[in-house]
Amino acid sequence: MDGTLIELHGGRLYDPTHGINGEVRTLYLSADGIVPPPPDAGAIAQSYDVSGCVLMAGGIDIHTHIGGGKVNLARMLLPEDHDRHPVARGVHPRMGSGHAAPSTLTVGYRYAEMGYTACFEPAMLLANARQAHLELGDTPIVDKGAYVLLGNDDLFLRLLAAKQDPAVIGDYLAWTLDAAQAMAIKVVNPGGINAFKFNQRKLDIDEENTAYGLTPRQILLALAQGIHTLGLPHPLHIHGSNLGVPGNVETTLATIAALEGLPAHITHIQFHAYGNEGDRKFSSGAARLAEAINRQPNISMDVGQVMFGQTVTESGDSMRQYAGSAYASPKKTVLMDIECDAGCGIVPFRYRDQSFVNALQWAIGLELFLLAEDPWRVFLTTDHPNGAPFTSYPHLIRLLMDRSFRNEKLASINPAAAAASILGTLTREYTLYDIAILTRAAPAKSLGLSSLGHLGVGARGDVVVYTDQPNREAMFQRPRYVFKAGELIVRDGRVIGTPTGATHVVKPDYERSIERTVNDYFARFMTVRPQNLRVSAAEIEGEGRGRLVVYSPRRSA
Amino acid sequence: MLKKLAPVPSPPLTHAAVTCPFCGLLCDDLTITARGTQLTVMANGCPKASAAFKAADLPGPPLVNGQPASLEAALDAAARILQRSQQPLFAGLGTDVAGLRALLALAEPCHAIVDHLHGAAMARQVRVLQSRGLIQTTLAEVRNRADLVVLLGVDINTDFQRFAEICLTPAESLVPARLAARRVFQVGPAASKPRHAGVRVERVPCAAVDLRQTLSALRAELRGRPHRVGGRTRTGVTQLAHAIRAAQYTVIVWAPGQLAALDGDLIIASAGELIADINRERRAAGLVLGGNDGGQTALAVCTWITGYPLRLSFAGDTLDFDPLRYQTARLLGQGAVDALLWLSTFSAQPAPATPIPRIVIGNAASTLMAPNSVFLPAGTPGLDHPGQLLRTDAVVALPLRELRPTATPSAAALLLQLAQRLR
Ligand code: SF4
Ligand SMILES: [Zn+2]
């Protein structure tokens, strides 16, 4: 046996995948991951007494904007964010900067410091896939993956408008996943980004994109069906229509109905949970939405919690970001129409606790968390950095776990917003087991990551040791130890190892004949060859820079 | 008489769908043949590309103070220069993604300042972006969606030579009506009128120094106010305003590197305002042409790795972004740096003349034979080794291939070896 066998004994384990809820157990780690107890105790190279500590698998962020063109534009746009938040020489293995739009190196170190060991970039474009993977390749320590955007690209819309056989559309989805080296498919404002290029300024769920005569409802259904048929582990990842618009809870309910029972994930649902009641025509739709989702086991959600302070919103939703640019702070916005593929908008924003709207957004997010009955269908996100930077997760965890702390905060926000929310009446407190579901077990299950998010034998060996403290924010901010693939990488909140994480991709089978359709389209209309757009495995894995983990789903029908 | 036997020629190799690294457009459809190390563009190259591939000789041996040396000895000499330096400058930066990654990893322990060959053009564009933002678009959108393209002081005859072919005059478009209706205006001096066959260009003649005034006049005209350029109304401006009012998707194109140093950023800012104005009722966007010599790559990689675009200093305990202060020419002129590492693998960009010690990592055209210098021969990305570059529109990145056999190392490999010596 090699000399790296590590024993962690005396700690309480929270491993919801195996139903383990705070039992004291000993864990054995090696470079192979979590291993069974060795027959010979002499094989143990290092033994850690972690009595009084809480052990969980490494955290998984299922939706965080950390790499790709729009993230980099946000970095470029905001030198003030970087000047105010330098990462000085010696703090991390390498220098960096930023709070809302941190540099790639800083992102990897900071996630690791918090005990997160896998991050998924939710908005990669095929046109920008190479850059996204290059940036993820410069994000140390964490495993990563990316969701490719579809549903606003002119090729998909042409196929759908031409009433192509669903099998052909499925092949196109699979081809795109393959070419972009993606882990899942996301749709942003279905058809709306494309419509904005044709100067439509809003698109309701049954309103037609005038250029193609297609509605968001049709686009959602075609994508969800295609994904279901391909057998992808993660269902359609939906950033719905009408983001941020008062009254959009109706749109979100209609979106859920449009799926006709097919599995789907609704992302940053807080931004889609607004009513238009009250004096200010802005109210919480959380209760209605939570009730609907509680009844629909095909739907999962992540919250996209808002936290107060300066951030930047980065989104593929150019239509809604253009509308939001009026509220930019500081006053500047980058907007892009992208390569007949998608778009993006970058709007710096400051959430203020004394603003009625911002304060209510904060409360709506928490209401959603607390009203959702099934923790396996809720994931903890701030939609980094759109609701807040990911470094606010420990604070968010405390808000969920500590009712008196939550009520203290509630008392400090805009009073009208506090009065308009039912948050004060919600007594639920998340347990450590619940948190382990939200931040580990559930995202792993949703993405089909068999070796992450749990502590069973065969797991990759991403293990976090937290010192149990009543102040859950302090506890989750600075774990005592973090192990990545069996290697100690963080000790007492300090990064001491910088291994390279894997890149997770899904590769469904498809008919190669789709390449004729794609090649023809690219030759006639695009500016590059599809074979050059395709990101090769060697580009991700070359020179020991990374490793691909490939999932091959089976078609369901 | 004895006939001298010619060496047996190896059969030429033909490569299709090759990415051209010689300007920011990164055309990826070239056909290139390699006869030994001689490269020839067979299809789809512009004159600039044809000349650049043809002239791309392999560099000679490493040099120390102008004398041939082994690679080991040259790397040792380069490492000594960096070790002795209190404040080195890493400049030129004509390399690919891997080269930039390696360079930035070395900049931190060396406390270096970094700047690109086209740092001035980048600074112009970045400054406008950082002060007010911009509504932008990309090549395929222009090709398919635009019904009005305004070339603002940009000369596509000397650079970006295939822009007209790719974006202005495609055979078909996803939106045929837009292509049928497409009008192209050129605002600027007559000399820069596009010479590409098949492009009908409407001109708004104006001297380079009047570009900003012309833009102000155009904005006034669009707001229904009478305009004045040089004391009079210009018909061209009025016509362009009419065209903008009639268009569904206007694209304004500029090249920061071709604008005047004096007011280039103000022209870009003004174009940005015009685009914002138009978007209140219809769609418009800007397209930035630039990124030559790996410029877009350097800008993007530096931004993602450090959080800051160029120009940047690693001298202190925190990163210091200051595009005014960290200009190559200024730093050299003021004697603010005491060693120069010059990276140039795409074009003929000799290292600036300076009495301080110089290290050049470069192609044949950048060979430096001088006292107090080290020359480390490097391959050209996309000719001699694989790699990646980013296109001018800040979205598309393309793969580069190895087209000919060579033992010349990449800049990245040389920089890694240098870093090992400095450990
Ligand atoms: S336009 Fe630029 S990229 Fe295209 S062939 Fe010419 S030099 Fe190369
Ligand atoms: Zn998001």
Side-chain angles (χ1 to χ4, degrees):
Chain A
M1 198 147 227
D2 77 12
T4 57
L5 188 64
I6 293 170
E7 176 193 74
L8 305 172
H9 64 88
R12 282 182 296 121
L13 266 58
Y14 290 85
D15 180 10
T17 306
H18 299 100
I20 300 172
N21 184 0
E23 289 165 38
V24 175
R25 290 202 188 179
T26 303
L27 271 189
Y28 300 93
L29 298 177
S30 80
D32 299 330
I34 296 182
V35 293
D40 164 20
I44 295 164
Q46 281 160 327
S47 178
Y48 293 80
D49 180 356
V50 291
S51 308
C53 292
V54 165
L55 270 64
M56 292 186 186
I60 300 172
D61 196 339
I62 199 166
H63 188 113
T64 174
H65 299 271
I66 57 170
K70 73 177 161 7
V71 180
N72 219 30
L73 276 170
R75 292 187 189 107
M76 207 175 286
L77 184 69
L78 290 171
E80 50 274 64
D81 178 61
H82 303 83
D83 288 347
R84 247 176 252 140
H85 302 275
V87 178
R89 196 183 292 276
V91 171
H92 285 152
R94 281 177 66 185
M95 293 159 92
S97 62
H99 171 64
S103 51
T104 53
L105 299 172
T106 303
V107 165
Y109 303 141
R110 281 203 188 130
Y111 264 115
E113 283 173 342
M114 293 198 314
Y116 272 74
T117 58
C119 299
F120 289 84
E121 159 58 53
M124 172 171 71
L125 317 181
L126 175 62
N128 186 243
R130 178 164 284 107
Q131 182 181 348
H133 283 293
L134 287 168
E135 292 189 32
L136 294 175
D138 281 325
T139 307
I141 305 176
V142 292
D143 277 23
K144 51 247 166 178
Y147 314 151
V148 69
L149 292 198
L150 281 165
N152 282 289
D153 54 305
D154 288 90
L155 177 49
F156 174 84
L157 296 173
R158 280 166 76 91
L159 293 173
L160 194 60
K163 305 212 167 15
Q164 273 289 353
D165 185 344
V168 172
I169 291 182
D171 286 336
Y172 173 56
L173 304 189
W175 177 85
T176 308
L177 285 162
D178 183 25
Q181 301 279 10
M183 185 60 191
I185 291 171
K186 183 192 189 193
V187 64
V188 173
N189 187 351
I193 301 171
N194 185 279
F196 182 61
K197 295 174 184 175
F198 290 100
N199 204 29
Q200 282 176 274
R201 302 291 168 125
K202 71 174 221 344
L203 197 67
D204 282 324
I205 186 147
D206 288 313
E207 193 174 346
E208 280 186 359
N209 167 316
T210 49
Y212 289 98
L214 293 168
T215 65
R217 184 186 297 275
Q218 292 168 308
I219 293 165
L220 285 165
L221 194 59
L223 285 169
Q225 266 163 352
I227 288 165
H228 188 58
T229 310
L230 292 174
L232 301 191
H234 191 58
L236 178 60
H237 198 94
I238 302 171
H239 158 147
S241 316
N242 287 331
L243 177 136
V245 178
N248 65 7
V249 64
E250 302 299 340
T251 312
T252 311
L253 292 166
T255 300
I256 293 170
L259 295 159
E260 301 180 1
L262 287 164
H265 175 79
I266 316 274
T267 191
H268 43 67
I269 198 162
Q270 177 277 130
F271 289 107
H272 303 267
Y274 306 146
N276 51 10
E277 285 151 25
D279 297 346
R280 313 199 189 212
K281 304 270 173 263
F282 185 74
S283 57
S284 172
R288 285 179 67 200
L289 208 46
E291 198 203 328
I293 290 174
N294 286 340
R295 275 189 279 112
Q296 302 234 18
N298 58 316
I299 303 294
S300 62
M301 64 178 183
D302 68 87
V303 170
Q305 176 67 34
V306 154
M307 298 286 195
F308 304 116
Q310 178 69 50
T311 193
V312 57
T313 64
E314 306 166 356
S315 172
D317 195 342
S318 47
M319 176 186 269
R320 294 301 311 147
Q321 290 294 83
Y322 180 76
S325 64
Y327 308 100
S329 171
K331 276 235 136 328
K332 49 185 175 182
T333 292
V334 174
L335 212 81
M336 248 179 132
D337 296 325
I338 300 177
E339 211 57 8
C340 303
D341 188 350
C344 78
I346 297 138
V347 183
F349 194 78
R350 187 172 192 85
Y351 292 102
R352 293 178 302 114
D353 62 358
Q354 296 313 311
S355 139
F356 173 80
V357 170
N358 298 166
L360 194 53
Q361 288 179 301
W362 175 86
I364 291 169
L366 294 172
E367 287 174 4
L368 285 160
F369 272 115
L370 297 170
L371 293 169
E373 285 164 5
D374 180 2
W376 287 91
R377 293 193 283 123
V378 188
F379 314 123
L380 187 140
T381 69
T382 54
D383 187 18
H384 163 83
N386 295 324
F390 64 82
T391 39
S392 60
Y393 287 175
H395 181 86
L396 174 55
I397 289 172
R398 185 169 184 200
L399 287 170
L400 298 177
M401 293 189 72
D402 182 340
R403 186 180 172 220
S404 61
F405 177 70
R406 185 164 70 226
N407 284 341
E408 230 173 79
K409 294 286 156 196
L410 180 62
S412 72
I413 64 167
N414 176 296
S421 166
I422 59 163
L423 186 58
T425 69
L426 301 176
T427 57
R428 181 173 174 193
E429 290 184 328
Y430 272 74
T431 63
L432 285 172
Y433 191 74
D434 291 333
I435 295 297
I437 297 174
L438 258 66
T439 58
R440 276 84 176 160
K445 184 176 171 216
S446 178
L447 289 165
L449 307 168
S450 46
S451 62
L452 297 180
H454 69 92
L455 295 173
V457 168
R460 277 276 280 148
D462 294 3
V463 180
V464 191
V465 178
Y466 299 103
T467 307
D468 197 354
Q469 304 176 53
N471 179 341
R472 299 305 191 188
E473 182 171 352
M475 170 176 166
F476 280 94
Q477 203 148 45
R478 217 174 123 98
R480 188 156 155 207
Y481 303 117
V482 181
F483 297 87
K484 175 75 188 149
E487 177 191 346
L488 181 64
I489 51 143
V490 175
R491 184 201 298 272
D492 294 324
R494 224 185 138 75
V495 176
I496 57 169
T498 55
T500 305
T503 299
H504 297 259
V505 298
V506 55
K507 302 257 177 216
D509 274 343
Y510 58 92
E511 286 295 332
R512 299 283 149 173
S513 57
I514 190 67
E515 290 180 347
R516 280 206 300 275
T517 308
V518 172
N519 289 344
D520 173 66
Y521 169 85
F522 270 77
R524 289 168 64 194
F525 304 117
M526 295 296 104
T527 54
V528 293
R529 302 333 92 190
Q531 70 263 38
N532 286 332
L533 220 42
R534 179 180 273 280
V535 181
S536 72
E539 289 179 86
I540 292 173
E541 298 190 315
E543 288 150 33
R545 185 162 274 288
R547 192 170 66 83
L548 282 174
V549 177
V550 180
Y551 301 83
S552 307
R554 283 219 190 91
R555 281 196 191 232
S556 68
Chain B
M1 230 171 107
L2 279 171
K3 250 193 173 164
K4 232 181 172 179
L5 279 176
V8 184
S10 52
L13 268 176
T14 300
H15 306 273
V18 169
T19 305
C20 169
F22 293 113
C23 89
L25 287 184
L26 297 187
C27 302
D28 73 333
D29 59 349
L30 276 67
T31 303
I32 309 272
T33 60
R35 274 170 223 280
T37 60
Q38 181 60 55
L39 301 172
T40 311
V41 176
M42 304 306 286
N44 300 340
C46 70
K48 181 178 180 176
S50 296
F53 276 100
K54 185 165 176 235
D57 294 331
L58 285 176
L63 306 170
V64 176
N65 302 325
Q67 299 300 313
S70 71
L71 181 58
E72 293 301 305
L75 282 165
D76 288 343
R80 270 196 304 277
I81 292 177
L82 291 177
Q83 260 151 2
R84 286 188 195 134
S85 167
Q86 298 293 310
Q87 183 52 73
L89 167 65
F90 293 0
L93 310 194
T95 183
D96 60 352
V97 171
L100 250 299
R101 281 169 159 169
L103 181 114
L104 293 170
L106 187 65
E108 183 169 334
C110 288
H111 295 248
I113 295 170
V114 291
D115 180 21
H116 189 271
L117 174 66
H118 303 304
M122 284 176 198
R124 233 165 262 158
Q125 183 65 35
V126 165
R127 187 171 179 186
V128 177
L129 189 84
Q130 292 181 338
S131 64
R132 56 190 90 199
L134 183 66
I135 300 175
Q136 286 168 259
T137 193
T138 70
L139 299 185
E141 294 290 348
V142 182
R143 178 180 170 110
N144 290 284
R145 209 102 42 202
D147 52 1
L148 174 61
V149 180
V150 182
L151 302 170
L152 180 66
V154 50
D155 179 352
I156 55 173
N157 299 319
T158 53
D159 234 329
F160 319 109
Q161 292 180 22
R162 292 181 66 199
F163 177 72
E165 170 202 336
I166 294 167
C167 290
L168 302 181
T169 59
E172 22 171 10
S173 151
L174 286 167
V175 196
R178 297 277 174 92
L179 181 59
R182 183 170 299 166
R183 293 172 75 180
V184 179
F185 277 77
Q186 184 237 348
V187 181
S192 54
K193 179 170 183 262
R195 290 196 294 266
H196 188 269
V199 196
R200 206 181 84 78
V201 179
E202 300 173 65
R203 295 200 58 236
V204 181
C206 102
V209 292
D210 289 335
L211 279 171
R212 201 148 62 93
Q213 219 194 356
T214 306
L215 279 171
S216 309
L218 186 57
R219 290 184 68 201
E221 185 77 30
L222 281 167
R223 287 172 177 185
R225 286 191 242 120
H227 77 264
R228 283 266 176 285
V229 184
R232 57 195 183 86
T233 307
R234 301 277 168 107
T235 50
V237 169
T238 309
Q239 277 160 5
L240 179 51
H242 279 309
I244 289 173
R245 278 202 210 91
Q248 305 295 315
Y249 195 102
T250 299
V251 177
I252 317 249
V253 187
W254 63 88
Q258 293 178 350
L259 296 173
L262 208 57
D263 67 347
D265 53 343
L266 298 174
I267 294 170
I268 298 170
S270 189
E273 295 293 316
L274 171 64
I275 290 164
D277 288 351
I278 302 171
N279 271 287
R280 281 185 243 288
E281 294 194 357
R282 54 195 86 240
R283 290 305 320 277
L287 182 81
V288 183
L289 293 181
N292 291 0
D293 296 287
Q296 185 60 36
T297 306
L299 191 66
V301 176
C302 187
T303 303
W304 81 59
I305 287 189
T306 69
Y308 291 106
L310 293 161
R311 300 153 164 148
L312 187 65
S313 170
F314 288 81
D317 274 343
T318 57
L319 297 164
D320 187 27
F321 165 67
D322 193 336
L324 283 181
R325 190 162 160 210
Y326 301 128
Q327 304 178 37
T328 299
R330 185 161 170 181
L331 293 167
L332 291 173
Q334 293 173 336
V337 290
D338 61 5
L340 171 68
L341 169 63
W342 182 257
L343 212 72
S344 172
T345 61
F346 294 113
S347 53
Q349 294 294 342
T354 167
I356 63 176
R358 288 177 291 174
I359 303 163
V360 171
I361 296 182
N363 57 5
S366 319
T367 304
L368 182 65
M369 303 187 72
N372 213 5
S373 77
V374 175
F375 173 68
L376 297 166
T380 296
L383 277 59
D384 302 322
H385 63 81
Q388 296 115 341
L389 280 178
L390 275 71
R391 201 169 77 175
T392 180
D393 54 15
V395 171
V396 175
L398 286 157
L400 306 174
R401 311 219 308 256
E402 182 180 306
L403 304 179
R404 60 183 175 185
T406 160
T408 316
S410 65
L414 292 166
L415 287 162
L416 290 176
Q417 292 190 55
L418 258 182
Q420 274 159 12
R421 279 169 168 75
L422 294 171
R423 242 182 227 139

